[in-house]
Amino acid sequence: MIDEAQLLEQLKSETHKEQAFKALITLYKERLYWHIRHIVKSHDDADDVLQNTFIKVFKNIHGFKGDSKLYSWMYRIATNESITFINQNAKRLQTTNEGVQTLAINKLESDVYFEGDSIQLKLQKAIATLPEKQQLVFNMKYFQELKYSEMSDILETSEGALKASYHIAVKKIEAYLTED
């Protein structure tokens, strides 16, 4: 396993950049895919956003100063790319971000890549009712099992604020799931 500092050095080197970038993709592709997938919902959309994320990482690697971990920086790019994707879809469809999320969840039922059952679908619908920040925090904590310290680096928010957001999100989701 290559260490992050060594990988970063290789990514910034013209002779090793391509090989290092392939290693970077291998290392982070799956984790980033699922992070993006929980935000945009659709497999095809997640693939597109993942590709855009890696293109941005490749183009901007020289601008990475090392203030945070490389994966935190990439998660931040993936998060921003996902939000941008949702915003662009909302504008294109002349609806709100919530409208885009609702459409994506409605499509989940027919998505061949969605392996969840009716309970998973209801959970996704509950998550979609949350404000954007709470959705991000909930997905990162619940599905990706990230620590608050990692989330703090990625979202550039204090751990206390993240804990509060997660707690509120859980309460809202519980309320949504116990309705009916």
Side-chain angles (χ1 to χ4, degrees):
M1 179 84 175
I2 193 167
D3 83 324
E4 208 170 81
Q6 189 180 3
L7 182 62
L8 189 56
E9 191 178 305
Q10 291 176 357
L11 282 165
K12 291 183 177 186
S13 134
E14 286 310 312
T15 47
H16 298 102
K17 188 173 186 174
E18 279 192 40
Q19 183 183 351
F21 196 70
K22 285 178 185 171
L24 182 84
I25 289 172
T26 302
L27 267 176
Y28 296 109
K29 178 176 62 179
E30 191 172 342
R31 282 167 61 189
L32 287 173
Y33 167 83
W34 284 108
H35 173 64
I36 294 165
R37 176 80 187 264
H38 284 116
I39 299 170
V40 301
K41 309 296 181 220
S42 147
H43 166 73
D44 292 336
D45 293 344
D47 267 355
D48 291 346
V49 174
L50 180 64
Q51 189 173 7
N52 291 344
T53 299
F54 278 120
I55 289 168
K56 271 227 165 105
V57 167
F58 188 80
K59 284 181 175 176
N60 296 300
I61 195 67
H62 287 285
F64 176 68
K65 294 180 182 40
D67 299 340
S68 63
K69 289 186 173 167
L70 182 60
Y71 88 86
S72 297
W73 180 69
M74 290 179 10
Y75 262 75
R76 196 165 33 253
I77 291 171
T79 302
N80 291 338
E81 285 297 304
S82 300
I83 292 167
T84 298
F85 176 83
I86 289 170
N87 290 340
Q88 287 171 342
N89 266 357
K91 195 173 188 178
R92 186 175 52 80
L93 298 169
Q94 296 179 336
T95 185
T96 62
N97 290 7
E98 293 77 20
V100 170
Q101 292 278 47
T102 302
L103 285 170
I105 287 165
N106 291 339
K107 283 192 213 168
L108 268 182
E109 292 176 271
S110 60
D111 185 342
V112 292
Y113 296 101
F114 181 69
E115 297 172 355
D117 54 17
S118 60
I119 294 166
Q120 269 293 334
L121 203 56
K122 191 163 184 181
L123 175 61
Q124 289 301 323
K125 288 179 181 176
I127 294 168
T129 66
L130 300 172
E132 189 175 89
K133 183 84 166 201
Q134 287 175 13
Q135 283 185 39
L136 286 172
V137 172
F138 183 82
N139 285 331
M140 293 168 98
K141 184 77 182 143
Y142 183 81
F143 292 110
Q144 293 151 13
E145 300 175 352
L146 293 180
K147 294 180 176 83
Y148 287 111
S149 58
E150 295 170 316
M151 291 166 43
S152 177
D153 283 345
I154 295 163
L155 299 174
E156 298 176 319
T157 305
S158 74
E159 288 183 40
L162 293 168
K163 287 176 184 176
S165 285
Y166 182 73
H167 179 74
I168 293 166
V170 167
K171 292 289 178 210
K172 288 179 181 176
I173 289 169
E174 283 173 352
Y176 182 93
L177 294 175
T178 55
E179 283 175 5
D180 297 336

